[in-house]
Amino acid sequence: MCKEIRINVFEIKDYDNVYKLWEEIFPDSTDSSYSKEQIELFLSRNPGASFFAEIDGKVVGAVLAGYDGRRGYIHHLGVLESYRRKNIGKMLMDKAEEALRNAGMNKVHLFVFKDNINAKAFYNNIGFKQRYDLDMFSKALK
Ligand SMILES: CC(C)(COP(=O)(O)OP(=O)(O)OC[C@H]1O[C@@H](n2cnc3c(N)ncnc32)[C@H](O)[C@@H]1OP(=O)(O)O)[C@@H](O)C(=O)NCCC(=O)NCCS
């Protein structure tokens, strides 16, 4: 029997369960930007725009979506390996895009490592267009 997938708004009370998911999916990158304090700040600045997917009480995917008043941004989309290719990533992105649209954003950006072939195929499939006219610049503030 097909188990029901629920997509829920990600609130800070869900942090521990979502953090476990991130540890599994992004084992090399759970730095301070994933700390409870940072995620609480992010969710409070972007209420109702981030989501997690749940099957039988188990968190199997999540996405952070935020906006700055002009543009929407997607971060940390991930689905547990054994649950991939079941449309869960797309369901999460549909909800995030809807929330960003409702917040008044008319465009959304995201960042993908150059060698992340699977994510690039996924984003192409759901309507994102790769940009070749931009390079990303970063600077540590602390
Ligand atoms: C990228 C990711 C979130 C996709 O999640 P998912 O739930 O497997 O994606 P979906 O099932 O919704 O895929 C929708 C469509 O995208 C395309 N797609 C998804 N993954 C793909 C892959 N690995 N290769 C080729 N196409 C893919 C397919 O067309 C798919 O439809 P189909 O299965 O009917 O062919 C998942 O692979 C993941 O968590 N990867 C590791 C974390 C990561 O890299 N996150 C992105 C950070 S930028």
Side-chain angles (χ1 to χ4, degrees):
M1 195 172 72
C2 206
K3 291 184 177 169
E4 194 193 347
I5 300 166
R6 292 183 52 188
I7 307 292
N8 306 304
V9 171
F10 179 10
E11 297 176 56
I12 196 62
K13 67 179 170 47
D14 309 305
Y15 173 82
D16 289 346
N17 290 331
V18 175
Y19 186 79
K20 271 187 220 142
L21 173 97
W22 286 335
E23 279 185 313
E24 213 164 308
I25 300 176
F26 307 110
D28 302 324
S29 54
T30 40
D31 61 16
S32 62
S33 73
Y34 291 77
S35 70
K36 190 166 189 177
E37 292 68 30
Q38 293 269 212
I39 298 300
E40 188 161 24
L41 181 59
F42 184 87
L43 296 178
S44 68
R45 288 172 59 99
N46 304 280
S50 297
F51 297 88
F52 67 95
E54 187 181 18
I55 297 179
D56 278 353
K58 179 182 169 75
V59 174
V60 298
V63 63
L64 292 178
Y67 49 96
D68 58 15
R70 276 184 71 242
R71 296 291 189 232
Y73 295 89
I74 298 294
H75 309 277
H76 300 344
L77 172 71
V79 173
L80 282 182
E81 197 161 359
S82 51
Y83 291 87
R84 289 180 193 162
R85 304 302 290 264
K86 297 179 191 305
N87 217 38
I88 296 173
K90 183 171 184 323
M91 288 168 74
L92 286 164
M93 287 295 294
D94 284 349
K95 294 294 279 187
E97 287 174 30
E98 182 186 22
L100 293 173
R101 206 176 293 115
N102 290 341
M105 302 303 103
N106 57 18
K107 198 169 204 180
V108 56
H109 298 303
L110 54 82
F111 310 97
V112 184
F113 283 108
K114 285 185 188 294
D115 61 356
N116 195 342
I117 307 298
N118 292 337
K120 286 185 186 180
F122 168 75
Y123 289 124
N124 272 316
N125 176 274
I126 65 163
F128 280 73
K129 298 278 175 268
Q130 187 167 352
R131 299 281 297 257
Y132 295 96
D133 56 338
L134 291 172
D135 282 317
M136 184 183 168
F137 285 64
S138 303
K139 182 178 183 179
L141 296 177
K142 281 189 185 168

